[in-house]
Amino acid sequence: MKITTEMRNELVSRALDARQNAYAPYSEYAVGAALLADSGAIFHGVNVENAAYPSSMCAERTAVFKAVSEGARTFTAIAIATDNGGSPCGACRQVLSEFGLETLVILINGEGDVTLETSVGELLPEAFGPRHLVDR
Ligand SMILES: [Zn+2]
């Protein structure tokens, strides 16, 4: 999905800012996400690690769950800031795909450079989704 250059830059900035709040004392791999809902609202997320490692949560899913908790269901774009432009893990791709394969995904490195622009559908081809459960 297309967004204005202004909004793209805003999302990049918000993801970089959010990254400052990441709680990643174990991996030291801080991630910040800024998720733009179709309403225009922006939801932030960071990775939140835990001493019991599997209890940790990624920045992308934190942002999606915050947004959905506030009533948002459709998203235009998500910007994700990491040290090296890392892409969303499989679980985050699946969660993002639930709410739209067209959502723009913008990856950003620690210098603030956009390293990739793609879509959820491109990151998760042949995604299992709501359409597979319609007839149940
Ligand atoms: Zn993830």
Side-chain angles (χ1 to χ4, degrees):
M1 184 169 284
K2 290 253 181 205
I3 61 172
T4 65
T5 300
E6 183 178 70
M7 182 50 76
R8 177 182 175 274
N9 293 341
E10 176 73 14
L11 272 186
V12 167
S13 176
R14 297 279 201 105
L16 288 165
D17 286 348
R19 185 169 176 249
Q20 302 302 312
N21 291 326
Y23 180 74
Y26 308 108
S27 71
E28 298 184 354
Y29 193 79
V31 184
L35 177 66
L36 174 63
D38 285 0
S39 66
I42 295 174
F43 299 89
H44 303 107
V46 298
N47 53 332
V48 182
E49 295 183 349
N50 191 279
Y53 290 4
S55 300
S56 303
M57 181 51 63
C58 300
E60 300 92 322
R61 278 181 286 161
T62 298
V64 170
F65 296 158
K66 283 174 66 179
V68 172
S69 296
E70 299 297 323
R73 293 292 184 274
T74 53
F75 306 105
T76 305
I78 184 168
I80 303 156
T82 64
D83 182 53
N84 54 6
S87 64
C89 76
C92 288
R93 293 176 191 208
Q94 181 64 39
V95 167
L96 284 164
S97 77
E98 178 77 16
F99 300 101
L101 297 171
E102 302 301 314
T103 304
L104 175 67
V105 178
I106 304 165
L107 304 182
I108 311 151
N109 68 19
E111 284 74 51
D113 301 319
V114 173
T115 59
L116 181 67
E117 285 195 32
T118 184
S119 69
V120 171
E122 289 176 357
L123 288 176
L124 192 63
E126 302 302 324
F128 183 86
R131 73 182 189 283
H132 293 104
L133 301 176
V134 163
D135 295 333
R136 301 194 127 219

